Amino acid sequence: MDGLTVRAGAGVRSVARIVARDDGRGGTSLPVLESDGPLALRRTRAVGAEARVMLVGAMSGPLGGDHFTVEGRVEEGARLSVGSAAATIALPGQAKGGARYDVRLSVADHGELQWLPEQLISAHGSDLRVTTRVELAATARLVLREEQVLGRVGEEPGRLASRLTVRVAGRAVLDQELACGPGAPGGWDGPAVLAGHRAVGQLVVVRPEFAAEPVTARALGEGGSIVPLAGPAALVTAVAPDALRLRRLLDEALASLPKT
């Protein structure tokens, strides 16, 4: 398992890398598709010009002390869709300290990325910090979904901290953090944040045409909203009692945005 380092008491280090490139024939090639240990990347059937990849959990985790990294780069004119085969479950581990899961994405001009993983579940006793950083060129396009579920059925959640940063042409359009569970700042479960819900998610949609015609801010039923960002982007935020209803809210919001 090249690139995988296991140290007693220090957890597992695992890196997955994807590079998508315009193949010059109306499609997208994947010259780099590398993964190891708990992270396994699988190419699936392309749809038109879009290459598709699934992220498969080859081992349980992340556990305490683990550090997973996923890096994705979409080059000029390429189109890539990335999903996952199942939910990711953050679990307590024998190693000391919390776990980390870092996602680093970049999309060049006229490239397009759909980043649509399944839910992240924060199991009782776990401690996970997730950071997602996206760098987009001025004419890049993005649909990014994040869904977090606090605890499995009938259990209290672990500690979960997440930060999402999106930059377009070097300018930050979104930089936000959320911390939930034991040890998180007070109020995370109050009416101003989750209001007792156990599933929270967001969609970030970046399209160049949003610069001239921003989306209209509006509520999504009782648990969600769509707002324009300071750039060619829109943010959908939703909370729900469970993962199924959260996904329904996010899917409806995406379908309601102007088609291109």
Side-chain angles (χ1 to χ4, degrees):
M1 294 183 289
D2 294 341
L4 173 65
T5 303
V6 183
R7 297 187 179 92
V12 174
R13 305 295 182 266
S14 185
V15 179
R17 297 184 178 90
I18 310 168
V19 175
R21 180 174 297 162
D22 184 348
D23 66 6
R25 303 187 301 274
T28 297
S29 64
L30 298 171
V32 177
L33 195 65
E34 301 173 349
S35 55
D36 57 36
L39 299 174
L41 297 172
R42 299 288 183 262
R43 185 194 313 253
T44 60
R45 185 183 298 274
V47 177
E50 180 183 82
R52 294 193 166 187
V53 173
M54 294 294 290
L55 182 61
V56 180
M59 295 167 58
S60 61
L63 308 179
D66 290 351
H67 186 181
F68 295 175
T69 303
V70 181
E71 301 173 355
R73 187 173 85 240
V74 179
E75 297 183 353
E76 185 170 357
R79 296 178 60 187
L80 174 66
S81 177
V82 179
S84 59
T88 297
I89 305 178
L91 296 165
Q94 295 181 347
K96 294 182 179 180
R100 290 178 55 188
Y101 200 131
D102 297 327
V103 179
R104 303 289 179 258
L105 307 172
S106 65
V107 186
D109 277 314
H110 307 293
E112 181 173 337
L113 173 63
Q114 295 196 65
W115 190 263
L116 303 170
E118 294 301 308
Q119 298 89 358
L120 169 64
I121 301 172
S122 174
H124 180 66
S126 65
D127 185 355
L128 176 65
R129 179 165 184 83
V130 181
T131 62
T132 302
R133 187 171 65 227
V134 188
E135 295 281 347
L136 304 170
T139 58
R141 309 173 75 85
L142 172 74
V143 176
L144 180 146
R145 182 179 68 211
E146 283 193 345
E147 297 171 311
Q148 297 163 352
V149 180
L150 305 182
R152 292 168 292 191
V153 176
E155 75 172 4
E156 291 299 309
R159 176 176 169 79
L160 176 63
S162 63
R163 181 176 182 180
L164 171 60
T165 305
V166 180
R167 294 169 61 88
V168 179
R171 178 186 180 189
V173 299
L174 179 66
D175 189 346
Q176 68 177 30
E177 295 187 63
L178 177 66
C180 305
W188 66 269
D189 204 21
V193 187
L194 297 187
H197 293 92
R198 284 296 177 263
V200 57
Q202 55 194 350
L203 279 168
V204 181
V205 182
V206 179
R207 295 173 179 165
E209 55 270 24
F210 286 170
E213 298 183 15
V215 302
T216 301
R218 63 187 186 276
L220 290 171
E222 297 181 357
S225 65
I226 300 177
V227 296
L229 299 176
L235 173 66
V236 178
T237 304
V239 294
D242 55 51
L244 182 62
R245 278 176 277 191
L246 176 66
R247 176 65 61 83
R248 187 179 300 128
L249 272 172
L250 295 179
D251 285 349
E252 290 173 357
L254 183 60
S256 74
L257 293 173
K259 301 297 186 295
T260 57

